[in-house]
Amino acid sequence: MQRRDFFKTSAALAASAALPGCNVARGGFSDDLLLDWRPYTGCLKYTFTIATYSRTETPLVLVRLRWRDYVGYGEASMPQYLGESTASVTAFLARVAEEVLPRFKDPFRMEEILTAVDSLAERNTAAKAAVDIALHDLTGKIMGRPWWQIWGWNDADTPCTSYTIGYDADDAVVNEKIDEASWTKVVKVKLGMGEEQDKRMINLIRAKLDTVICVDANQGWKSREMALDMIHWLAERNVCLIEQPMAKEDLDSAAWLTERSPLPVIADEACQRLADIPRLAGAYHGINIKLMKCTGMREAHRMATLARALGMEVMLGCMTETSVAISAAAQLSPVARWADLDGNILLSNDCFSGMKLTEGKITLSDAPGIGVEPLKPFEEL
Ligand code: MG
């Protein structure tokens, strides 16, 4: 079924509430799970540069899942290195609407629904996350509870989020980016451009800010000896962790560094999904879980559980995303030692309300599902 026809069918179902035999429940609302979506361009407040590329906007797809009179929201964010696009995400969502959702009338059959979505095709992790987040939002709303409560966690345990300072010209870092980060207790700094540039960046920031720093090398350091020297240098400058110091494939170097590093070494690019975790145990101190990499909240919850069972630390990360995906990730934050959930703050056009920060600390609400609301009607986003 094409998307246009799908909407026609949905509208016809809603309009035919009084007809016997049609699949419509109380109040004329459909018992079908109805999925629709809107491509959205996220505009960045600043040009964002890391070791491998630079950009000013980011493609997103916002998703709405309806069942009876309940509405759940989801989102896909597609950074170029993950290989997804607006076209691939919308094509995948059309397949979910056509091939998966018509088989289910009960949104609480989440295991079967999300397994069927995951089985449609390899990869497509952001598109899968969009459906997963919307389904969690929907079922949480039906239960009247946010997911952090459904999972049984304590909202007092949430960490502060870090705020990312990307690579830039020295004067832009000093005059704009450091001031922009002054509200937070933890700054995340993107390094991996080489020893001299990396040290200059840290010195620039340290001259103006005394907050804790998380360092993300984004695989940029080329030798384990140089990486270890850098880590020792950084440990003397109130740095709390090192994310992905070297190439994701180089597990031997990661293990070598982890054995010697005075700071926690966290896998990001090396850790995509649940199945990656067992081989990373022992090679890294912890993992960075991102909904867009791991297909969403269901798998993220499993990853957090497995990592902690293996004695690994959990960090939560994000792409550049609206408050939809950020608030979904925030539901997991009580079990994260560190959170890097600043994607919505980096946008100048976030179109949802959701997760709040109190002096940088993630502050979870009692709002059901993932606790988000669109700032205007979904059709107008
Ligand atoms: Mg990273």
Side-chain angles (χ1 to χ4, degrees):
M1 193 191 301
Q2 297 300 305
R3 186 177 177 219
R4 189 175 58 244
D5 296 330
F6 172 70
F7 278 127
K8 273 191 212 158
T9 308
S10 305
L13 270 175
S16 63
L19 296 176
C22 76
N23 188 25
V24 171
R26 63 190 166 89
F29 290 103
S30 174
D31 253 355
D32 290 330
L33 284 158
L34 305 175
L35 184 72
D36 54 354
W37 52 87
R38 296 186 68 78
Y40 191 78
T41 299
C43 301
L44 306 187
K45 289 177 184 166
Y46 301 104
T47 303
F48 196 74
T49 303
I50 63 169
T52 45
Y53 65 95
S54 196
R55 62 197 163 88
T56 56
E57 55 182 41
T58 198
L60 307 169
V61 176
L62 301 168
V63 162
R64 178 174 65 175
L65 182 62
R66 288 174 291 163
W67 181 80
R68 297 187 179 169
D69 50 351
Y70 294 96
V71 181
Y73 296 102
E75 175 182 11
S77 173
M78 297 86 75
Q80 66 188 62
Y81 68 87
L82 282 183
E84 292 181 80
S85 64
T86 300
S88 72
V89 168
T90 54
F92 187 89
L93 295 173
R95 287 193 62 195
V96 172
E98 185 179 346
E99 299 173 36
V100 176
L101 296 182
R103 291 156 43 197
F104 298 94
K105 305 300 175 198
D106 179 358
F108 284 97
R109 283 170 63 184
M110 298 175 76
E111 283 297 320
E112 288 167 80
I113 295 170
L114 295 175
T115 299
V117 169
D118 197 16
S119 304
L120 272 181
E122 296 278 296
R123 299 183 293 276
N124 291 284
T125 55
K128 291 170 182 175
V131 179
D132 168 285
I133 294 168
L135 185 59
H136 277 81
D137 192 31
L138 181 76
T139 50
K141 282 172 172 165
I142 296 168
M143 290 185 273
R145 291 279 188 157
W147 274 93
W148 65 269
Q149 287 180 359
I150 295 166
W151 284 326
W153 295 334
N154 186 342
D155 62 333
D157 295 338
T158 60
C160 287
T161 185
S162 55
Y163 179 77
T164 301
I165 297 181
Y167 238 97
D168 210 328
D170 290 2
D171 57 344
V173 171
V174 172
N175 298 322
E176 295 171 25
K177 294 194 169 182
I178 293 176
D179 290 341
E180 174 88 357
S182 59
W183 56 271
T184 185
K185 292 189 170 73
V186 187
V187 168
K188 176 163 159 176
V189 181
K190 297 286 197 176
L191 297 184
M193 308 292 273
E195 187 173 351
E196 190 184 330
Q197 282 193 65
D198 287 352
K199 287 183 175 175
R200 194 175 72 245
M201 181 79 170
I202 293 295
N203 286 333
L204 283 174
I205 293 166
R206 268 287 162 259
K208 284 189 83 170
L209 273 185
D210 59 3
T211 47
V212 175
I213 293 177
C214 298
V215 161
D216 188 352
N218 285 117
Q219 314 184 72
W221 293 338
K222 301 306 176 199
S223 89
R224 55 175 73 173
E225 292 79 11
M226 174 267 175
L228 186 61
D229 285 348
M230 273 300 294
I231 294 172
H232 278 289
W233 186 85
L234 292 165
E236 294 166 3
R237 285 158 180 81
N238 198 17
V239 168
C240 67
L241 66 84
I242 308 293
E243 210 180 307
Q244 202 63 56
M246 299 182 63
K248 62 183 178 184
E249 300 83 6
D250 191 354
L251 209 56
D252 285 347
S253 289
W256 186 90
L257 274 178
T258 291
E259 200 181 327
R260 293 163 178 79
S261 172
L263 298 175
V265 178
I266 308 299
D268 181 7
E269 286 87 340
C271 183
Q272 307 287 319
R273 298 197 58 172
L274 182 69
D276 295 324
I277 296 176
R279 70 186 171 83
L280 300 176
Y284 291 88
H285 293 106
I287 57 165
N288 187 349
I289 301 174
K290 294 178 178 172
L291 299 186
M292 296 302 143
K293 291 192 305 186
C294 78
T295 73
M297 296 169 71
R298 177 178 77 140
E299 185 144 330
H301 182 265
R302 290 177 179 170
M303 291 173 76
T305 304
L306 177 58
R308 297 201 312 161
L310 291 169
M312 300 176 83
E313 300 281 2
V314 169
M315 174 177 185
L316 284 175
C318 64
M319 308 302 175
T320 312
E321 5 184 89
T322 75
S323 286
V324 172
I326 293 296
S327 304
Q331 302 297 313
L332 292 135
S333 63
V335 290
R337 180 167 170 195
W338 306 285
D340 179 33
L341 298 181
D342 62 350
N344 55 338
I345 306 168
L346 297 168
L347 287 179
S348 61
N349 62 341
D350 187 4
C351 52
F352 276 78
S353 64
M355 181 194 82
K356 298 279 185 289
L357 300 173
T358 308
E359 294 177 5
K361 181 179 164 67
I362 294 170
T363 307
L364 295 167
S365 78
D366 292 335
I370 60 170
V372 298
E373 286 295 334
L375 299 181
K376 52 186 177 181
F378 187 77
E379 292 81 358
E380 297 170 21
L381 292 174

